[in-house]
Amino acid sequence: MINVAILGYGVIGSGTYKVITQNQDIVKGNAGDAVQVKAVLDLREFPGSPVEDILTHDFNDILNDDEIDIVVEVMGGTGAAYKFVKASLEAGKSVVTSNKALVAAYGPELIRIAREKNINFMFEASVGGGIPIIRPLISCITADEILEITGILNGTTNFILTDMYEEGSEFEPVLKQAQANGFAEADPTADIEGHDACRKIAILTALAEGQFVDFEDIPCRGITGISAEDIAYAKALGKKIKLLASTRYSGGNIYSEVSPCMIDSSNPLYAVDGVMNAVLVKGNMLGDIMFYGAGAGSLPTASAVVSDIVACCRHMHENIPVRMDPEKLTVHDPAELKDRYFIRVSADADIASKVPCECEITIPDAEGEKAVITKAIAGAELKDLEGIISCIKVR
Ligand code: HSE
């Protein structure tokens, strides 16, 4: 019997309990031993729930219980979560987490402690919810030079943008729906301003490079500035607006960003709608591959958490190597790269004389203005343009 403790009985914690209990035979078969939840830590009470009798409010009950082999941290944040995860690893317990903020901030240190203790620190659910992407990056795509990683990595914003596109909805009510569905972060600022996706692309880039990436070095723009008119233009141009988290490699440099982008149907990410996430990876031998699935939600995320528990069971006193050296990787600003841009200006603006444009469009939903798509230009060329109503990268 392998005993697990769950820190946090919220959306993912309760999902983890459900996956372990409902799929116990499958989990046992894959883990090589039965897995049971021995304790759940939460400040709240859950009368009448299945964890009522194993609930504790004191982390020390878990830390000092030698029968608990694996700690699952699904509390979120970097305060108590960091303290509890570090203490668990130092006590020789493997840790599984879905907490991207924790991995993005403390990944190298926690990975090192796990290596020194010959146990595991696993975080598949921290990026892309239920989509296997961490394990493929670490264990499968190991023969390629990675040329690009671009993903739709936030379910909440993709849900909002999809609804705005399909239903013509306003931003606020769709955000409320995402919160009610349990996708959005407790503070949805992290979703809508792109911070959540930023931490996720930092983690993926760090794993691809084997070196720490500071998410604060990554230019990050969310979707709060996207209007119904921007969406109407995108539709008229046969495109959609998606919040892309992207790392590109060019001229020996690494360029990362989070930004709303217009993409057309030739881009594999075009069809990724609603709460779904996807990650497109380009390898120099492999070509393009895409990982697609539910990027948020209780059971899909819990499925990834329990897969990590199974991996810990299979490698109980054996560290699975993960490279994330602590020295910070230099990440460049993609404004240095040449990209096309969608730009809205007033109808009488002479934008074509200032930047090279490949097309101009007007739509009935936006009177008194027009939009252009530029040819590929460096972002710096946009700095001195005046009277821009909105500007969105075209990928
Ligand atoms: N708030 C996140 C999202 C949850 O919407 O994708 C999964 O990380």
Side-chain angles (χ1 to χ4, degrees):
M1 175 75 71
I2 293 173
N3 288 306
V4 170
I6 300 176
L7 312 184
Y9 197 65
V11 174
I12 306 171
S14 55
T16 300
Y17 183 86
K18 188 167 181 187
V19 173
I20 290 174
T21 47
Q22 193 167 319
N23 284 1
Q24 59 180 300
D25 292 342
I26 294 162
V27 172
K28 181 180 178 184
N30 288 326
D33 203 344
V35 173
Q36 92 167 349
V37 180
K38 191 171 183 219
V40 170
L41 176 79
D42 204 293
L43 292 173
R44 299 163 292 182
E45 303 290 344
F46 296 97
S49 90
V51 300
E52 189 178 9
D53 296 336
I54 55 170
L55 192 67
T56 175
H57 304 307
D58 184 357
F59 172 66
N60 287 315
D61 291 345
I62 291 167
L63 188 65
N64 298 327
D65 186 338
D66 291 338
E67 290 181 354
I68 291 176
D69 304 296
I70 301 170
V71 172
V72 175
E73 184 279 306
V74 284
M75 303 159 58
T78 52
Y82 169 64
K83 210 172 109 194
F84 294 167
V85 165
K86 189 172 172 184
S88 300
L89 290 170
E90 283 172 338
K93 300 178 193 300
S94 284
V95 172
V96 171
T97 185
S98 61
N99 184 342
K100 58 248 146 188
L102 180 74
V103 180
Y106 297 106
E109 182 192 12
L110 300 172
I111 288 167
R112 175 184 54 76
I113 299 171
R115 186 170 53 241
E116 287 169 1
K117 293 282 179 184
N118 216 21
I119 51 175
N120 289 293
F121 173 61
M122 308 198 80
F123 44 92
E124 183 61 71
S126 66
V127 180
I131 307 172
I133 178 62
I134 304 282
R135 224 182 311 283
L137 266 185
I138 295 170
S139 311
C140 309
I141 313 171
T142 50
D144 272 57
E145 180 189 344
I146 293 178
L147 305 175
E148 180 178 334
I149 303 172
T150 295
I152 293 174
L153 295 180
N154 184 268
T156 300
T157 46
N158 205 37
F159 181 77
I160 293 171
L161 289 172
T162 302
D163 229 64
M164 287 175 78
Y165 179 89
E166 287 177 355
E167 311 293 337
S169 321
E170 294 298 334
F171 183 86
E172 283 298 333
V174 198
L175 172 61
K176 287 211 166 64
Q177 186 59 49
Q179 286 176 293
N181 291 349
F183 309 147
E185 299 298 305
D187 175 2
T189 313
D191 296 298
I192 60 181
E193 297 295 358
H195 307 156
D196 176 77
C198 189
R199 284 169 173 80
K200 291 170 177 168
I201 193 67
I203 294 169
L204 295 184
T205 308
L207 293 173
E209 287 298 309
Q211 210 175 323
F212 177 63
V213 172
D214 187 342
F215 61 86
E216 300 208 32
D217 291 345
I218 299 178
C220 177
R221 178 181 158 202
I223 66 163
T224 48
I226 300 298
S227 64
E229 288 79 15
D230 293 326
I231 304 257
Y233 272 111
K235 257 189 185 176
L237 288 159
K239 299 181 191 297
K240 288 181 184 170
I241 299 173
K242 296 290 183 188
L243 184 66
L244 298 187
S246 183
T247 288
R248 292 180 278 173
Y249 296 75
S250 178
N253 290 334
I254 294 173
Y255 298 88
S256 297
E257 69 183 322
V258 175
S259 177
C261 292
M262 278 197 190
I263 56 174
D264 64 28
S265 58
S266 65
N267 187 319
L269 295 168
Y270 180 88
V272 178
D273 283 332
V275 73
M276 305 309 268
N277 280 195
V279 189
L280 181 65
V281 180
K282 293 178 193 273
N284 69 334
M285 300 293 152
L286 184 62
D288 291 3
I289 47 171
M290 192 160 97
F291 301 84
Y292 169 85
S298 175
L299 294 178
T301 308
S303 164
V305 167
V306 179
S307 298
D308 273 352
I309 293 174
V310 167
C312 288
C313 295
R314 287 175 174 174
H315 301 272
M316 193 46 97
H317 300 291
E318 176 199 1
N319 178 253
I320 304 166
V322 181
R323 268 186 57 226
M324 200 190 283
D325 297 341
E327 192 191 336
K328 197 166 99 165
L329 193 72
T330 303
V331 177
H332 292 257
D333 186 340
E336 294 169 21
L337 296 174
K338 290 197 167 180
D339 280 303
R340 294 181 303 146
Y341 292 87
F342 162 85
I343 301 175
R344 282 169 59 199
V345 287
S346 64
D348 54 3
D350 181 17
I351 184 145
S353 70
K354 296 183 182 120
V355 281
C357 296
E358 65 174 40
C359 75
E360 185 176 303
I361 180 175
T362 54
I363 57 167
D365 308 64
E367 272 179 35
E369 62 170 78
K370 64 184 176 188
V372 296
I373 292 182
T374 69
K375 293 189 174 161
I377 53 172
E381 290 189 48
L382 300 172
K383 267 198 185 133
D384 298 328
L385 289 183
E386 284 168 8
I388 292 180
I389 301 168
S390 75
C391 178
I392 299 168
K393 196 168 276 193
V394 179
R395 292 277 302 268

